[in-house]
Amino acid sequence: MTQPHSSLIYILNGPNLNLLGNREPDIYGTVTLEDIEKSATLHAGKSGFGVDFRQSNHEGALVDWIQEAGEKAAGLIINAGALTHTSVALRDALAPLGIPVVEVHLSNIFARESFRHLSHISPAATGIISGFGANSYILGLDAITATVS
Amino acid sequence: MTQPHSSLIYILNGPNLNLLGNREPDIYGTVTLEDIEKSATLHAGKSGFGVDFRQSNHEGALVDWIQEAGEKAAGLIINAGALTHTSVALRDALAPLGIPVVEVHLSNIFARESFRHLSHISPAATGIISGFGANSYILGLDAITATVS
Amino acid sequence: MTQPHSSLIYILNGPNLNLLGNREPDIYGTVTLEDIEKSATLHAGKSGFGVDFRQSNHEGALVDWIQEAGEKAAGLIINAGALTHTSVALRDALAPLGIPVVEVHLSNIFARESFRHLSHISPAATGIISGFGANSYILGLDAITATVS
Amino acid sequence: MTQPHSSLIYILNGPNLNLLGNREPDIYGTVTLEDIEKSATLHAGKSGFGVDFRQSNHEGALVDWIQEAGEKAAGLIINAGALTHTSVALRDALAPLGIPVVEVHLSNIFARESFRHLSHISPAATGIISGFGANSYILGLDAITATVS
Amino acid sequence: MTQPHSSLIYILNGPNLNLLGNREPDIYGTVTLEDIEKSATLHAGKSGFGVDFRQSNHEGALVDWIQEAGEKAAGLIINAGALTHTSVALRDALAPLGIPVVEVHLSNIFARESFRHLSHISPAATGIISGFGANSYILGLDAITATVS
Amino acid sequence: MTQPHSSLIYILNGPNLNLLGNREPDIYGTVTLEDIEKSATLHAGKSGFGVDFRQSNHEGALVDWIQEAGEKAAGLIINAGALTHTSVALRDALAPLGIPVVEVHLSNIFARESFRHLSHISPAATGIISGFGANSYILGLDAITATVS
Amino acid sequence: MTQPHSSLIYILNGPNLNLLGNREPDIYGTVTLEDIEKSATLHAGKSGFGVDFRQSNHEGALVDWIQEAGEKAAGLIINAGALTHTSVALRDALAPLGIPVVEVHLSNIFARESFRHLSHISPAATGIISGFGANSYILGLDAITATVS
Amino acid sequence: MTQPHSSLIYILNGPNLNLLGNREPDIYGTVTLEDIEKSATLHAGKSGFGVDFRQSNHEGALVDWIQEAGEKAAGLIINAGALTHTSVALRDALAPLGIPVVEVHLSNIFARESFRHLSHISPAATGIISGFGANSYILGLDAITATVS
Amino acid sequence: MTQPHSSLIYILNGPNLNLLGNREPDIYGTVTLEDIEKSATLHAGKSGFGVDFRQSNHEGALVDWIQEAGEKAAGLIINAGALTHTSVALRDALAPLGIPVVEVHLSNIFARESFRHLSHISPAATGIISGFGANSYILGLDAITATVS
Amino acid sequence: MTQPHSSLIYILNGPNLNLLGNREPDIYGTVTLEDIEKSATLHAGKSGFGVDFRQSNHEGALVDWIQEAGEKAAGLIINAGALTHTSVALRDALAPLGIPVVEVHLSNIFARESFRHLSHISPAATGIISGFGANSYILGLDAITATVS
Amino acid sequence: MTQPHSSLIYILNGPNLNLLGNREPDIYGTVTLEDIEKSATLHAGKSGFGVDFRQSNHEGALVDWIQEAGEKAAGLIINAGALTHTSVALRDALAPLGIPVVEVHLSNIFARESFRHLSHISPAATGIISGFGANSYILGLDAITATVS
Amino acid sequence: MTQPHSSLIYILNGPNLNLLGNREPDIYGTVTLEDIEKSATLHAGKSGFGVDFRQSNHEGALVDWIQEAGEKAAGLIINAGALTHTSVALRDALAPLGIPVVEVHLSNIFARESFRHLSHISPAATGIISGFGANSYILGLDAITATVS
């Protein structure tokens, strides 16, 4: 177990996730990103961790935040949305971080279209959690706190 | 025929289209993006529609605008430029819109290099119009007004 | 703008389109090919053009007609149906025509099975209009008349 | 069990099958297409069905006959010969028929050259029978009569 | 016609087929494997043949049985289930048998997911019958008895 | 939330996992499968669930157990080892289960050789958890109990 | 040297070749198909052979003629045009002929687009002559007369 | 040279090899697996080694035996038969063994069908010997004894 | 030699290069981007050129700057980082520039993972220099000044 | 018709052709390379041309000779043997020659193994003649003399 | 057993093998090609065979020697080095030899980079021995003497 | 900085480069290989290095010279011409050299035909410089002298 250099966990969300709960409820349900932020903050607090929860439609902003997490956070959870499948820049930002990185997805990406089966991010992540809806984030927090506590 | 919830049509343009008319005139002619905006505004006006015409080199900005169009526009025309071939994020933004979406291209993309034959956006579009120069936008407006009027 | 050497537009339809309106109405609607011929003739007439509207299940017949169009027509609209994906002969007939050629499809072929994404005809067409139902033909007429008028 | 709207079964044969029995007897044996027509007519008669047995080297003619079968036949057996591997038009003609369609082959196409392993027709067929020589047609008749009786 | 060295036909079934009739009835119907065994035994009896009907979830057991069939049976029907697509061992066991081998499938495997289109077994089979539900087995029996009688 | 029809969770392990802790400790660490069984039993007990923990090198045995789980278990966790990448039979056994299925892996399979990136099982799983060592099983239990409680 | 069963050589031409000399003269020159027929007839006459020279845009007609050649001709020259790359039916018609078959092309097909590099016909031909303009036909006649004389 | 921790060499044989000598003698000759066992035992005895010679049609049994060899044997020879091309489980069992592993084949697999050119086992083997009939086993024994003596 | 319309050279750097010298020193060394900027400015100064040196994690910002360079710079050096492999937008921005463009990389990208072997930018560059660490920039400056001086 | 700058035709032969007539007579016949040289010299003499006939197993020697032919010959015939399929150097030597180049093959390479279907040389040749045995060389001479006379 | 027409075995070595023992000793060890020649000569002598041992960096020289071996040698061992993966000329030289040919490799080529997995030579070899260091040559000699003695 | 064991730099050129300046001047300009040798010698002399400049059309000769350079040179520049894309032997000769190796190309190979995009040599080079005409050699010299001085 490494000593965490912070008690803060970054949770970053990529393009279109700000609309969660408003679109395609038969796939994603009615839970909004704000609901997930609240649950995650509450759950992390039980283990003594704070949460910095952000969303952006811009790849560049996500790269900025990942670099920032490398200096300030004990761990990182990322749901990169569609950028999961197209961004090598996110991968290169994640690879040298030195803190636990968990890639999460709401739905099981392997049960969807084939172009969503490839993740550029997975090789740079500590682990992947995919398919449990909002609970994917909660399991991701447990995976990180088990590692850094 | 669905009832339009707005009389505004968004026309969004992706990377490098701001230079239209200044570069490679043998492929694209000398018409500028401003010229297209004027023709489109005039043509839409005849059917009682307004046009909100924008361009950005940033994928994230285009995603923001598509989401905005979902709330404010009666239809959307998009020429995503090079992002047509690389952006799943644009596709995911377009898919749940609920308004007519027309993908347009100035040139016939299937008569150019093979890596331009794949469009990530097409499956999320109502229709595609490609190869008629600036007239592609006018035909796109006709396609939308025929649907929402 | 080139001077049209005729005021006639050929509209050619490939295999199985004669059954339009009778089969799979959830995909193609209830409009028949005769309905489309009437609308197209009416619409072209407004711009002073006549329409020669034909259908065949035979690739060879379509090649014959395309060659004939090269001598008699001001423009050509073609919905090659399933031959779109398998016929190089149609492509070679279209390529040297010297008049505007518009490839049309009723449905968005990019949102269907992947083997329908490849069109042998597209590289030999002036432009493509796909996904607007019977209106694809009307938009195709507008595209031609805008070019040759 | 659907009610058959006819007591006629169409049996259609594609290119080069008219030469059956005259060429490559080590692969196809010495049975001719006429022999098969006789056996099939006899066998179908036992179940009270008539047979309309045809052959053409023209893809377009086969499409015409398939469309005709949709109106007049209780079931359809097709041995498309080489068109099996190249014709999407046959597939599109077969898909909406609404009567049982059995794809038959004299030889086991999966034990021959690899370009014969792909059948465009199979996804549009009710079932496939391949490899039993002329008996493939008899088994195909049994498969249809078991369904429509 | 070869002289059958036995009046017994082996019918072998692969993984998960023991659950037939209990799962996914919209694809496979409500007929159970026991029902099929009864129909097949009855049908074969009319032609003077007995049936040895077995099922296993183990590839190795199926290889054992195929080898046994080579010594005891007049013909072999095999529905290898999912092993159809992954097992070269079954193919190698079937190839040298010296008795008629019919590969059967309940559903039309070519109308399902693409990874089910490849059959390792087909090149080693005398013929294939696919897509007629439980009747595929009956047609398979007819195909064998027509050969060995 | 569905009502669990049992308070038992099956945890199934595939080929070579019985040697865990004895081989390649630089990849898998020194934890044995017995250690994981103890932790999992203890952790599930806190939520009132029992654990049935098994390992086999035989694909057929795993198929048998998955079918058994469909009748007796509230949820299923599976680490199929190398069969993850080659077995369609496991997938077909998992697909119709009707209880939550979690695919787990000790290491991040996406950071290893490319032939390990394909999982035949993922499309039939509720979700995937990969890369957290023995903790992958604990997170898998939490994912199931969150669903069925 | 086999004894020719006829002193007639069939020369068959596929789709669009009837327009030769009228289109794309920078690729094909200004020689027409009639010019080729005359030269070929003259040249064959010197060796005591007659020529039956035909063209069709219909695949089925070409298949009919190839079958006819099998009965009446001493040799066959075929320029299948675009059907070279898509027709398995022509190949199956040519394969069992039993007379010399020479595939000819005006241009060097290997120096053009890559989809023209594949010829379905070549494996069924005795030899190929490609790239010498109208002279390809003359060389093809020499190749046949050298074999059958 | 490592010190052998045993004087026993395991020789494992996969599916269908028990029929050796009875089938396809034109490919494999008339030597049986028992003949090979005798020659191998005799040959190894000359170098002071014993042989444990086994065959199974079950992948799982082979995995069990490989694991056992890791504890009891000085070296391992494996002819995995058809599992060579499909089993990642065998590879994972072989990779961490820590004793010399020789993959042998009776025939030259690279001169047979292309799907037999891929071996999942080769990357986990010390060396490969292929194409010398029964002598492949003898050469394999020499390769092992040269290493461990 | 063209006459330079400016004495300024743009040097643009893509995602994650701002962290150079802080991460993975075994691959990239300990030189920072600031160090490179200083060396480049000094080196260009000797030839009478100024340097405008920038970095961004945003693809859109890089496109903006490339367009700006087209108006203000005598030459452009670009190290696009991970966007090298995914961005068609950068390529389209570079293609029409009309000034020398040198693509540089610190490491030899052809000796790294295969997905880094594809560069979308190379076809739009005048030349490529890859593998000389910070010296790649200096050699790139020499290449430009040799052309435009 | 260009004016020939020489009355000499080079005929170059690649690896293993020196053994012609001694090996695999069922494929290549019993004609030797010396026989071909004699026939070619005799045939060319009738048109007033001389022949320089050479063979080498060395790619470099063939490149040397092709360059030499560029200076001394009126035309070039090349049978590159196995180098046809692997040598880009031969292609680059042939491409800029400026004299007619005919690629010849004794057998029909498209009826042999698939790796022999690709010719690196064809795009740099004026034309290809394949499949007529030694007569391929004679036809090649006719093709050249028709061009340069 | 064929009667050897010579008591000489050719051992041919391809490019760069002359440097063996001087480079990359962690892969190839410190044994030189001279050491191998000595061991091989000694070992062959015990069975009454002589050895002709050669090395060249020239593909053409290797082809010459293979042809020579066809006339003078009882068997041939070849380690073609890098030419293994690129030379069809070596394959064509080996294929018709009529004496046993053993392809040897020092290292296990299937455990190295993927482009080394393809051997053009294997289909023309009697057998393959790969991965036993210098001992691969000794085993190769045994394989030949077992065949020709 | 390593201490150079020589003050000599080898510059090796592959097939057809001896014709530089005489062929295809629109691609390569009018500079000859002799011109490049002079410029390179002059430029290297300024840094106190000598140049050994050679060209051959033979792959084997280039391998010989690379091996020689490993003993005598401080650095190596190689323009392998067409062998860049086909020779693994050159790669294996370069890989263990232990001196800086720079791969140079006159033109930007990534802007030419796709089969020229693959370089077998790049992974064995220190760096690549491509697209600056004769200046590529000068920049290559600078890259080496910066490393070894």
Side-chain angles (χ1 to χ4, degrees), chain C residues 5-44:
Chain C
H5 60 291
S6 142
S7 63
L8 193 62
I9 296 174
Y10 270 47
I11 302 183
L12 305 181
N13 298 278
N16 298 304
L17 285 163
N18 57 324
L19 295 188
L20 199 67
N22 303 323
R23 62 163 191 176
E24 300 181 284
D26 51 326
I27 302 186
Y28 300 101
T30 57
V31 178
T32 66
L33 203 62
E34 289 69 30
D35 295 335
I36 293 178
E37 181 173 5
K38 280 181 202 155
S39 313
T41 304
L42 197 65
H43 189 79

Side-chain angles (χ1 to χ4, degrees), chain B residues 12-18 54-57 62 78-83:
Chain B
L12 305 182
N13 298 278
N16 298 304
L17 287 164
N18 57 322
R54 308 179 188 179
Q55 188 274 339
S56 175
N57 292 332
L62 291 162
I78 184 161
N79 179 351
L83 291 172

Side-chain angles (χ1 to χ4, degrees), chain A residues 10-14 17 62 66 76-81 84 90 94 101-105 121 125 129 137 144:
Chain A
Y10 271 47
I11 301 182
L12 304 183
N13 298 279
L17 286 163
L62 291 162
I66 291 168
L76 173 68
I77 291 171
I78 184 161
N79 179 351
T84 302
L90 290 183
L94 291 168
V101 172
V102 182
E103 176 185 350
V104 298
H105 299 284
I121 296 177
I129 296 176
Y137 288 79
I144 287 179

